[in-house]
Amino acid sequence: MASFLLNSADCRVGVKLTYIPTAQFAYDPAGKKSKGEQRRRARYDAKQKLQLISEFFSASESQLLELDSPNILTDREIMSALDNSQIVYVDGGNTFYLQYHMLRTGFWNAMKQHLKAKENCIYIGASAGAIVAGNSIETAYWKGWDDPNVVGNDFEWTPERKKGAGLVNNECFFMHYEEASHAELVELQAQRFKKDFTVRVVPNNMALIYAENDAIIDSTCSPYKLESVYENNLSES
């Protein structure tokens, strides 16, 4: 997979990589450490992972982009941060925390412009980073791993706010899929929805690779046809 991605990126003058670990920065009130201590540890871990990812992709330049930083307020600041990046890697963690800060900063406005403007730029989403790139983050509720109230009890997760980026037409992603544990759950959730669309169930250590025309180039992930909350993009479930 690495060789395909490197060939897809513009490597003539080396790869610039932007790593977004924001989903990992969500505060865990059940943790034994304070909010500040958790943040410092998460940033340390993110810097270590950035180094590993940079080495993996032989990046000549790399940077952390923290979407929950008070210095990142608009999509213009995101555009500036993404400038010249050939690889944008959005990591996993709490999907709702990541989605909240993507909404707050207008991340996808900037990211979509960057994908159009930058020839051979690639977006890599791991776990939460993949879920937010689909049509909806609704699948993040299904296992109950991520707390939607991480951004505050007064923030309402309306259908509009649960819309994903829709980078791949009419698809959503259910991550960390294990057939023995999740097959019945996925089938049960299908009964809650109203219109057909595809949910890709993605096991650990598996990858989906999409070309610009949404065709799957390499996949070991099975699609489920589910019922959706979508009607004219998104409706109340």
Side-chain angles (χ1 to χ4, degrees):
M1 183 180 73
S3 60
F4 170 81
L5 294 175
L6 287 172
N7 288 333
S8 298
D10 185 352
C11 300
R12 289 169 295 181
V13 291
V15 174
K16 179 179 177 181
L17 179 142
T18 294
Y19 174 55
I20 301 176
T22 302
Q24 299 177 8
F25 292 173
Y27 173 59
D28 179 9
K32 296 181 179 180
K33 295 183 178 181
S34 69
K35 189 173 185 178
E37 289 174 322
Q38 287 187 32
R39 177 73 180 205
R40 285 190 291 273
R41 180 65 197 191
R43 289 194 83 250
Y44 174 82
D45 290 344
K47 289 179 180 179
Q48 299 301 305
K49 189 163 185 180
L50 172 63
Q51 182 176 348
L52 292 174
I53 296 172
S54 297
E55 292 173 357
F56 182 79
F57 287 110
S58 302
S60 59
E61 184 179 351
S62 60
Q63 65 173 348
L64 279 178
L65 178 55
E66 301 174 35
L67 298 182
D68 58 347
S69 168
N71 297 323
I72 302 293
L73 299 175
T74 68
D75 55 358
R76 288 186 179 181
E77 289 158 326
I78 300 289
M79 281 293 292
S80 177
L82 293 178
D83 187 43
N84 294 323
S85 291
Q86 289 95 350
I87 297 175
V88 179
Y89 189 115
V90 182
D91 215 339
N94 188 298
T95 305
F96 301 99
Y97 190 76
L98 176 61
Q99 176 78 351
Y100 173 82
H101 286 288
M102 285 181 161
L103 292 172
R104 181 185 68 84
T105 60
F107 171 81
W108 285 114
N109 292 334
M111 186 70 227
K112 289 179 178 180
Q113 289 181 51
H114 184 69
L115 287 170
K116 290 179 180 179
K118 183 66 180 177
E119 184 179 0
N120 296 328
C121 177
I122 57 176
Y123 174 94
I124 301 174
S127 191
I131 293 173
V132 295
N135 275 23
S136 171
I137 67 166
E138 188 77 28
T139 54
Y141 286 95
W142 293 3
K143 291 192 293 288
W145 290 3
D146 295 355
D147 179 11
N149 295 322
V150 68
V151 297
N153 294 327
D154 57 343
F155 185 83
E156 182 182 359
W157 284 104
T158 63
E160 183 69 21
R161 289 171 172 173
K162 289 186 284 187
K163 288 175 65 176
L167 291 189
V168 180
N169 288 338
N170 205 37
E171 294 201 3
C172 300
F173 303 102
F174 182 90
M175 308 303 291
H176 311 292
Y177 176 80
E178 296 178 359
E179 186 173 3
S181 302
H182 301 136
E184 185 175 349
L185 170 66
V186 171
E187 293 292 346
L188 179 63
Q189 291 295 334
Q191 300 174 17
R192 297 178 53 240
F193 300 107
K194 299 175 183 177
K195 285 184 68 178
D196 287 339
F197 77 111
T198 300
V199 168
R200 295 279 174 184
V201 292
V202 186
N204 291 328
N205 301 318
M206 300 295 180
L208 286 168
I209 302 175
Y210 291 85
E212 187 176 0
N213 63 0
D214 297 341
I216 299 173
I217 296 173
D218 183 22
S219 171
T220 53
C221 309
S222 302
Y224 274 79
K225 278 290 188 182
L226 300 184
E227 300 295 314
S228 163
V229 294
Y230 284 89
E231 191 165 28
N232 296 326
N233 293 328
L234 200 62
S235 63
E236 292 283 351
S237 59

